[in-house]
Amino acid sequence: MIHTGDDWVCETVAPAGTRYGFRAAGAPPFDASKLLVDPGATHLDRPFAYDPRLATFGCDTASLVPKAVVTPPLPPLARRAPVFRPGGLIYEVNVRGLTMLHPDIPAALRGTVAAIGHPVILEHLQRLGVDAVELMPIVAWIDERHLPSLGMHNAWGYNPVVPMALDPRLCPGGMAELRATVAALREVGIGTILDLVFNHTGESDLQGPTLSFRGLDDAVYARAPDGTLINDAGTGNTLDFGYAPVREMTLAALRHFVTQAGVDGFRFDLATVMARSPGFDRDAPIFAAIAADPVLADRIMIAEPWDIGPGGYQLGQFPANWLEWNDRFRDDVRCFWRGDGAAGALATRLSGSTDLFGGARTRSVNFVAAHDGFTLADTVAYAGRHNHANGEQNRDGHGDEVSWNAGEEGQGRAEDRRALLATLFAARGTIMLTAGDEFGRTQAGNNNAYAQDNATSWLDWAGRDRALEACVAGLAAWRRANRAIGDPGIRHDLIWLRLDGEPMTAEDWGAADGFAMMLPGGSGVRVDRRTRTAEILSPRQP
């Protein structure tokens, strides 16, 4: 290694298959006993596993840390436009949970990226009218340090170590496996979006493990003026996007997944962090860098537009060509059907949340349930969380979700599930459905199943609600046949009717229990919470 300016450069060319790691010596916090993973690694020889010695200064960790493997890149893919377009249906997928219990997937394939390309999964996605699958993190992660003592493991992957190395548990075939699955999805008209985490790393706070960045360049982590780590991600550490190497690392990772796998785009976890230095800046350098990059400029970018830091809620404040997760849609739709929400608020959400997104097109990603929080079925069956299995005395997870039951915990109404789904499929803009919600997946009231790598979070394909699944397939067919209803560009030509068919007036909105929202041609939706129904409407025949 030679030192050139701010960079260390290795001039030795290692043959393919070489396993390696780094050590960095110097005054603390450098610790030469720690084996460090190359931040640019694309392949690891095994998954990460937490061990207290990873955080013990002076303790050699060569036997504990995965080695990077020299892996030549695949031949570059031909440039192709994204399959997915705003206004379509995104299907959020926990890769492992999707197929671990699927009886028609070969046992050796279950829980992997390759399983998503299996014909039985492709057929299911097509039946639902899915336009893109959004894969929850598949980059190599490490368990949070409190989980091993509880006998649990991270089931979601939102604790990555380095940004480009695929986790061997989910993608044992490496980039070739991901590329093949993306191609199989594209062949049937479905795009692929990767959920990536650039707000923190699994090195956590000062008591966390030293695995890569901390031992090589601790400046990647944001610090307050007194030197303490900033914790805007709620994980003990936050990446500093005011530091140019962090932005360069992020861009390199995004380009890697586009050029090597052909993905359509990315969803960014706690994306507000990407625009902090330390405060949120709508004109943050990372946005301009992505927009100017010839590989990334046409990709789909989706922000989770909040973090837990000061001024962390930034819904509607991302660039004009980005989509944003809209939790206001989730909450206002749920409130309406629970009975304490206004019809006017629901109408605003259905029509694209014009109060939040300016410009000619809505950027809203509408959803009623996601991986984080109650499942759709649990939303209408539990009034409170039931997270005791997580080992945190039921104190973790959102304590005030908008949810309800039919008089007893665990008891829900089928009509409430159908009403939520029909409302979602009738919404203007992009919609998102989490895998399994189409057939009534339940986590028994656990609204924070991040550490339940078991039947709690694995989809029960054998026990699925076939009637609900058929209902969703019908909604999907209707939305495909009436593309205009979800068009992100429709703003002013919606027609609003009372439940008796007369035009809505300003006075009607205050006490309304429902309404019909229609396009001039007759497609739309009629919602009536008195009867717990949301009826989709097709164009009038001549």
Side-chain angles (χ1 to χ4, degrees):
M1 300 281 284
I2 60 171
H3 196 197
T4 305
D6 292 331
D7 300 321
W8 287 90
V9 179
C10 179
E11 294 186 321
T12 302
V13 178
T18 300
R19 298 162 63 246
Y20 70 98
F22 295 149
R23 293 188 190 271
F30 289 105
D31 181 358
S33 73
K34 292 291 177 283
L35 190 72
L36 307 171
V37 177
D38 181 358
T42 61
H43 189 86
L44 301 178
D45 66 352
R46 56 193 167 98
F48 286 96
Y50 181 78
D51 188 293
R53 290 172 290 176
L54 295 169
T56 303
F57 193 87
C59 182
D60 193 285
T61 57
S63 65
L64 305 175
V65 177
K67 311 301 186 295
V69 182
V70 175
T71 307
L74 299 173
L77 290 165
R79 182 91 178 143
R80 301 177 73 178
V83 175
F84 179 78
R85 289 288 181 267
L89 167 61
I90 295 173
Y91 190 73
E92 187 191 32
V93 171
N94 179 320
V95 171
R96 184 165 166 81
L98 179 70
T99 60
M100 283 298 293
L101 298 179
H102 201 301
D104 298 325
I105 300 292
L109 204 62
R110 293 175 189 168
T112 68
V113 168
I116 299 171
H118 190 279
V120 71
I121 299 298
L122 296 179
E123 290 167 9
H124 182 75
L125 297 175
Q126 289 177 281
R127 187 163 58 252
L128 296 181
V130 169
D131 294 299
V133 294
E134 181 177 295
L135 305 184
M136 288 169 60
I138 58 174
V139 170
W141 74 87
I142 189 167
D143 287 336
E144 291 81 354
R145 64 177 176 266
H146 71 284
L147 292 180
S149 64
L150 296 173
M152 294 190 291
H153 300 283
N154 189 308
W156 287 355
Y158 290 97
N159 205 37
V161 179
V162 293
M164 290 186 282
L166 298 171
D167 196 285
R169 292 165 290 194
L170 297 183
C171 206
M175 184 55 71
E177 179 176 337
L178 177 59
R179 179 186 280 202
T181 298
V182 171
L185 289 163
R186 178 178 274 270
E187 185 67 23
V188 296
I190 299 173
T192 303
I193 295 168
L194 298 185
D195 189 344
L196 297 180
V197 180
F198 289 112
N199 55 74
H200 78 284
T201 80
E203 291 184 312
S204 187
D205 58 21
L206 293 180
Q207 285 70 53
T210 295
L211 301 167
S212 180
F213 295 105
R214 174 168 291 141
L216 294 168
D217 184 9
D218 194 47
V220 302
Y221 297 119
R223 292 181 180 271
D226 64 359
T228 59
L229 286 166
I230 290 175
N231 188 25
D232 291 337
T235 57
N237 60 347
T238 301
L239 286 169
D240 183 2
F241 272 80
Y243 185 46
V246 171
R247 300 194 300 273
E248 293 163 4
M249 171 193 71
T250 301
L251 293 168
L254 301 182
R255 288 192 293 264
H256 171 72
F257 287 117
V258 173
T259 60
Q260 288 288 285
V263 302
D264 285 41
F266 307 94
R267 180 262 188 190
F268 298 102
D269 182 64
L270 302 183
T272 309
V273 168
M274 299 171 67
R276 284 187 177 277
S277 187
F280 179 84
D281 181 2
R282 294 189 64 178
D283 299 316
I286 190 64
F287 298 145
I290 290 173
D293 192 292
V295 173
L296 304 176
D298 69 343
R299 298 296 105 174
I300 304 298
M301 303 288 166
I302 304 174
E304 182 182 41
W306 50 76
D307 62 35
I308 69 164
Y313 190 76
Q314 294 291 336
L315 178 61
Q317 302 304 308
F318 280 73
N321 62 333
W322 282 49
L323 303 178
E324 298 183 36
W325 270 29
N326 186 354
D327 63 329
R328 293 280 297 280
F329 180 94
R330 176 198 64 201
D331 290 349
D332 285 344
V333 169
R334 289 187 184 186
C335 279
F336 176 82
W337 289 111
R338 186 170 68 177
D340 57 339
L346 176 64
T348 300
R349 300 296 154 241
L350 277 172
S351 57
S353 295
T354 53
D355 58 332
L356 301 172
F357 302 102
R361 300 177 67 81
T362 184
R363 299 184 292 106
S364 181
V365 176
N366 304 313
F367 61 99
V368 290
H371 71 271
D372 190 5
F374 280 130
T375 70
L376 184 142
D378 287 354
T379 294
V380 302
Y382 293 91
R385 64 192 176 192
H386 294 263
N387 296 354
H388 298 88
N390 294 353
E392 299 183 45
Q393 293 77 52
N394 202 35
R395 294 177 300 195
D396 61 304
H398 197 329
D400 192 28
E401 278 203 68
V402 179
S403 63
W404 64 98
N405 59 39
E408 180 180 342
E409 284 290 79
Q411 186 177 89
R413 292 183 289 250
E415 55 264 42
D416 286 356
R417 294 192 290 271
R418 291 195 296 268
L420 285 174
L421 287 162
T423 306
L424 174 66
F425 274 79
R428 173 181 162 240
T430 301
I431 64 173
M432 185 184 79
L433 182 71
T434 297
D437 279 347
E438 71 272 20
F439 52 68
R441 73 179 178 108
T442 178
Q443 294 175 170
N446 191 322
N447 74 346
N448 189 35
Y450 78 101
Q452 298 297 323
D453 185 18
N454 50 46
T456 297
S457 63
W458 299 348
L459 300 193
D460 179 11
W461 290 89
R464 64 194 197 262
D465 184 337
R466 301 272 186 171
L468 186 63
E469 186 176 331
C471 172
V472 173
L475 291 170
W478 170 81
R479 188 173 170 96
R480 288 197 303 272
N482 297 275
R483 290 284 186 181
I485 198 67
D487 190 331
I490 293 173
R491 295 183 69 87
H492 302 299
D493 53 356
L494 294 171
I495 298 167
W496 303 93
L497 302 177
R498 298 188 320 210
L499 293 175
D500 63 6
E502 295 299 314
M504 289 284 287
T505 66
E507 292 75 21
D508 291 327
W509 287 107
D513 281 313
F515 54 82
M517 181 191 79
M518 300 172 58
L519 291 171
S523 61
V525 63
R526 183 181 186 274
V527 299
D528 185 350
R529 68 179 164 202
R530 299 170 305 179
T531 59
R532 317 300 297 173
T533 57
E535 177 189 4
I536 56 174
L537 307 172
S538 295
R540 295 184 295 270
Q541 298 299 316

